[in-house]
Amino acid sequence: MFALPARLQLLDDRLAVRSNRLSRHRGLRDLMRAVSRLGDGVAWYTLAACLYALFGAEALPALRHMLVAGVLGVAIYKLLKSHTLRPRPFEVVSDVVCAGCPLDKFSFPSGHTLHAVGFALILAHHFPALAPAVFGFALLVAVSRPVLGLHYPSDVLAGAAIGACLAQGVISLS
């Protein structure tokens, strides 16, 4: 079972509540829901298809890197979630409201953020002109998770760190 030291958990709880309060604003909540839904994979699959349509074989190294990072990312986050068993903040912090749809039961780490950061780094490496767009989208995905009450900020930070390490590893091994 996942357990932060008490002081860090208290800080994580407070940041989760503060982030989640933003979901009270309908326009922002709707935007975060849309971003989160796109971060389920829809945006990345669409972008991959567009890159292949535009660049053909030139896009294949980036797409291979994304595929490897994506498969490894799923394996890592599923392994971590099944071992840490950290409940989602809306389940244990009374002031956090679930404003989105969780894809699974546990919170640590954020798989959405893991993949968003990993894919953004890979795409920026191969297509530097895309960096502002993919990094901006990855940031929105990361922000959406605690705003929607689905993750603690520490889940998002861990997901980002794992995604960055995966991207770096996949890029450096090719």
Side-chain angles (χ1 to χ4, degrees):
M1 178 76 126
F2 185 90
L4 284 175
R7 291 183 75 182
L8 286 177
Q9 185 60 58
L10 183 59
L11 176 62
D12 221 11
D13 290 350
R14 287 180 180 161
L15 291 172
V17 169
R18 288 187 122 168
S19 300
N20 184 244
R21 283 186 187 142
L22 295 171
S23 71
R24 295 177 185 168
H25 305 282
R26 184 175 181 209
L28 183 60
R29 181 181 60 245
D30 291 347
L31 172 65
M32 294 292 104
R33 283 179 177 161
V35 165
S36 184
R37 177 66 182 109
L38 288 170
D40 285 350
V42 175
W44 304 114
Y45 305 142
T46 303
L47 183 55
C50 289
L51 288 172
Y52 185 72
L54 291 170
F55 297 101
E58 190 181 331
L60 290 179
L63 302 182
R64 274 193 294 272
H65 286 159
M66 288 176 70
L67 178 62
V68 171
V71 169
L72 290 173
V74 168
I76 290 167
Y77 95 80
K78 284 189 178 226
L79 179 71
L80 286 171
K81 284 189 180 214
S82 69
H83 281 76
T84 59
L85 305 175
R86 186 181 200 188
R88 294 191 179 268
F90 69 85
E91 295 176 319
V92 292
V93 180
S94 62
D95 291 335
V96 174
V97 175
C98 181
C101 296
L103 295 181
D104 55 38
K105 183 165 175 52
F106 299 110
S107 182
F108 183 88
S110 169
H112 279 73
T113 305
L114 184 158
H115 288 98
V117 169
F119 294 159
L121 286 166
I122 290 167
L123 288 168
H125 173 77
H126 290 282
F127 297 96
L130 291 178
V134 294
F135 289 146
F137 180 68
L139 178 61
L140 284 172
V141 169
V143 167
S144 75
R145 308 310 286 165
V147 167
L148 294 174
L150 300 172
H151 287 283
Y152 291 96
S154 62
D155 300 333
V156 171
L157 291 173
I162 295 166
C165 290
L166 269 176
Q168 185 61 43
V170 168
I171 290 167
S172 68
L173 291 176
S174 59

